[in-house]
Amino acid sequence: MGSSPGARRAWVGAAVGLVLGVLVLGPALAPGYTLHYDMVFVPELPLGAHTLGTDGHVPRAVPNDLLVALASTVLPGWVVQKGFLLGCFTLGGAGAARLAGTVPGAVAAATWWSWNPWVGERLGIGHWGYLIGFALLPWVLLAAARLRRREPGATTGLLGSLTVAALGGSTPGVLATLLALVVLLVPVPGHRVRLRPLLPVLTVSLAANAAWWWPFLTASSKAADPGGAAAFAARADTPFGVGGSLLLGGGLWNDRTWFTERTTLPFALVALLAVLGLLVLALRRRGWWQDPLPLGVSVAGALGLVLAGVAALPGGTALLGWLIEVVPGAGLLRDGQKFLALWVLLLAVAIARVVDRLAAAPRPFLVAATVWPVATLPTLAWGHVGQWGSVDWPAEVTTVAERVGADGGPVAVFPWSTYRRYAWNGDRVVLDPWDRLLPGRVISSDDLPLRDGSVTGEDPEAAAVGRALADGSDVPDLLRELGVRHVIVQTDQPAPPGSVPDLTGEDVTRVGDLAVYDLGPTSTAEPDVPVTAALGLVGTGGAVVLSALLGVRRWRRRTETETTARSARA
């Protein structure tokens, strides 16, 4: 990171992020796999069509699963998981620290960035890929602001940060691109808007994100359930309603991820006063509105706040539902709370600027301005106060995965449910893991169960199996038509009526709590995947290579300049 003041602050922020990351993850850093909700890591994620996003279905974890699969070829899966999680805290802390101008400001900004409700609730639901993009947002903001100021090397930095953010998947890619465009286009006194830099930014961003948007456009079904607009609307996890909850950086729709202290008035009130005080102190300064960085992040943060709360407004869910039905890809707007990451970034800049100005203030005041995020959210510590843990995959699971995976054909998994609770995983809720354990296509339920209903999935084959189970049709024959030979029934899971087909008479092998049925050879061939399905990966790969080459070129020029300067001084 060099030896400049900014680089030194980045090192300080990285250290803060690393320490707080350890405190947040706690038992999740022990050897073994941390499995809860959507966070599913396996010993060696297969490099299959599902991982690459070329299987013809809506891409859910592309290309972040590809990163995991590649890393798992040289490291155990649990090491890869811990590395990604802790790396996001470290990289994000370093970026947040660069937003400050002093070491105290750097510590304060990195503390907030590493310890806030948005991070806690997204970790609580297992959205680890979001943290990749979140960690890159400060870097995108810094590079975009430098580009507005016409500083050397800014374009290279912006293209590189946008590319890395896109590797986290659709949401990180959209957040980073949206932030960059706002900063580049917002009118700033003394900084003329230039359209020329938009061309490389849009081109590289489009290419970097192609790994997920191209498979989406070519998927067999792109229709998202418009009912998800209401199901995924932000909720009030504080006494201050949905608006107040979003203002404080939380409000995720899943109440199982909420923190007890946010629902109590004393903690929530202290947090509210801290946020409002910091915003007033920061935004009342005239210089705030004359600099591309704070002005740009203000607009982006306000936009993120609006997008996060639109479903809670009168008619908001109806509007989102209509958009989801008529606009391809509008399903990205269903979980609007994720856009609140931009608001959290605005608060990071405000904290950095305020603490910078108070760097010479009495120490108790400075400490309070730095540690309030931790003090008002103490149960984020140690894996949500011990709720997370690390476990080993049972031998029966890896054995069946190896045997069934050797066939390479489609596999169906029952009982028909999206999430599981395994006794060996501490009875934690976790997404069914078999589509990551097996290299081939896995047919399983992709409906999202909720307390008051469910959100329909998007896989047409899964929908067909679900209908057959519901109306009592011959499911084994349907599975054979879909090319399925092996069926895995997890006998340690609840199996309400209609969740497991009648497989009487089929050849079965039992391995612990797993029953593996063989439906016999199938003549149904796997559908041919057109060559064009891989174009998205080509685009993302091209963006990665281009960004790397530009980064190396920039580094060489900087090194040559520094060498020349040292020679001149000598």
Side-chain angles (χ1 to χ4, degrees):
M1 292 185 186
S3 58
S4 66
R8 287 194 291 271
R9 290 193 297 274
W11 280 112
V12 170
V16 172
L18 177 62
V19 171
L20 293 183
V22 170
L23 293 177
V24 167
L25 298 171
L29 292 176
Y33 297 85
T34 298
L35 308 171
H36 69 272
Y37 282 98
D38 293 359
M39 189 179 297
V40 181
F41 281 72
V42 296
E44 188 173 345
L45 186 62
L47 272 170
H50 179 73
T51 307
L52 299 173
T54 58
D55 60 352
H57 293 82
V58 174
R60 284 296 180 195
V62 178
N64 47 320
D65 266 359
L66 175 58
L67 297 181
V68 175
L70 293 173
S72 297
T73 60
V74 295
L75 293 170
W78 68 267
V79 175
V80 174
Q81 180 186 33
K82 317 305 180 187
F84 270 116
L85 292 176
L86 209 50
C88 288
F89 278 92
T90 305
L91 180 62
R98 289 296 297 262
L99 299 172
T102 65
V103 170
V107 173
T111 299
W112 163 253
W113 197 250
S114 306
W115 200 296
N116 62 75
W118 193 92
V119 167
E121 290 179 353
R122 288 297 164 177
L123 271 175
I125 205 172
H127 288 171
W128 70 271
Y130 284 20
L131 297 188
I132 296 177
F134 188 73
L136 267 295
L137 288 182
W139 299 99
V140 172
L141 173 61
L142 287 162
R146 291 179 62 227
L147 185 56
R148 282 299 300 271
R149 302 185 192 113
R150 301 192 180 189
E151 296 180 18
T155 301
T156 298
L158 182 56
L159 298 183
S161 56
L162 287 173
T163 299
V164 178
L167 298 180
S170 56
T171 291
V174 169
L175 284 171
T177 302
L178 180 60
L179 173 63
L181 292 178
V182 168
V183 176
L184 292 177
L185 293 175
V186 64
V188 183
H191 298 272
R192 184 170 58 87
V193 174
R194 295 184 299 141
L195 299 181
R196 184 175 178 181
L198 291 180
L199 180 59
V201 168
L202 288 174
T203 301
V204 170
S205 181
L206 195 65
N209 287 280
W212 62 264
W213 64 256
W214 177 257
F216 170 80
L217 291 179
T218 57
S220 56
S221 174
K222 298 184 282 290
D225 183 356
F232 298 136
R235 303 285 193 269
D237 64 346
T238 70
F240 309 123
V242 174
S245 300
L246 294 174
L247 192 72
L248 298 180
L252 185 66
W253 54 270
N254 189 326
D255 58 3
R256 292 186 178 91
T257 67
W258 294 354
F259 297 90
T260 303
E261 59 268 34
R262 280 178 60 84
T263 65
T264 60
L265 185 58
F267 282 96
L269 182 59
V270 171
L272 179 63
L273 292 176
V275 167
L276 292 178
L278 287 164
L279 287 174
V280 170
L281 290 173
L283 272 60
R284 71 186 182 92
R285 305 283 292 193
R286 179 179 299 179
W288 180 277
W289 306 103
Q290 298 175 342
D291 187 332
L293 191 152
L295 180 55
V297 79
S298 297
V299 176
L303 179 60
L305 189 63
V306 171
L307 291 175
V310 67
L313 299 174
T317 55
L319 173 62
L320 289 178
W322 176 78
L323 287 173
I324 291 168
E325 283 189 305
V326 303
V327 179
L332 282 170
L333 299 175
R334 292 191 303 182
D335 182 4
Q337 195 266 356
K338 60 194 173 189
F339 291 99
L340 201 64
L342 299 175
W343 176 259
V344 175
L345 179 62
L346 166 60
L347 294 180
V349 176
I351 290 170
R353 295 295 176 96
V354 170
V355 176
D356 280 348
R357 296 202 306 270
L358 300 175
R363 181 167 297 180
F365 187 84
L366 201 59
V367 170
T370 301
V371 304
W372 71 266
V374 179
T376 57
L377 199 66
T379 59
L380 176 56
W382 211 245
H384 280 223
V385 193
Q387 292 183 30
W388 305 340
S390 297
V391 298
D392 292 325
W393 283 99
E396 64 191 57
V397 173
T398 55
T399 298
V400 169
E402 183 177 350
R403 293 178 183 176
V404 175
D407 178 69
V411 177
V413 179
F414 299 93
W416 199 246
S417 177
T418 307
Y419 288 91
R420 311 294 183 190
R421 287 182 181 268
Y422 299 111
W424 51 265
N425 189 37
D427 206 35
R428 302 178 184 92
V429 178
V430 63
L431 187 69
D432 188 279
W434 284 98
D435 66 343
R436 285 178 169 81
L437 288 164
L438 298 173
R441 182 161 50 99
V442 174
I443 300 175
S444 60
S445 175
D446 65 341
D447 293 344
L448 179 63
L450 302 171
R451 291 185 178 180
D452 54 354
S454 65
V455 177
T456 304
E458 298 157 358
D459 185 351
E461 294 170 344
V465 174
R467 289 192 298 268
L469 284 168
D471 60 26
S473 301
D474 192 331
V475 175
D477 279 352
L478 172 61
L479 294 176
R480 291 186 180 96
E481 292 176 10
L482 296 175
V484 173
R485 175 169 183 171
H486 292 104
V487 176
I488 298 175
V489 178
Q490 304 175 80
T491 61
D492 61 339
Q493 300 299 301
S499 64
V500 179
D502 183 4
L503 297 167
T504 304
E506 306 293 349
D507 183 30
V508 60
T509 301
R510 300 187 183 276
V511 183
D513 293 321
L514 301 174
V516 182
Y517 291 85
D518 190 339
L519 304 184
T522 174
S523 58
T524 305
E526 280 284 277
D528 292 330
V529 178
V531 176
T532 55
L535 287 179
L537 290 173
V538 173
T540 299
V544 170
V545 171
L546 175 62
S547 297
L549 291 175
L550 290 175
V552 171
R553 181 185 178 188
R554 172 62 184 162
W555 175 78
R556 286 180 174 175
R557 285 185 174 180
R558 184 175 180 179
T559 301
E560 291 173 356
T561 301
E562 292 176 351
T563 301
T564 302
R566 284 195 297 269
S567 299
R569 288 195 297 269

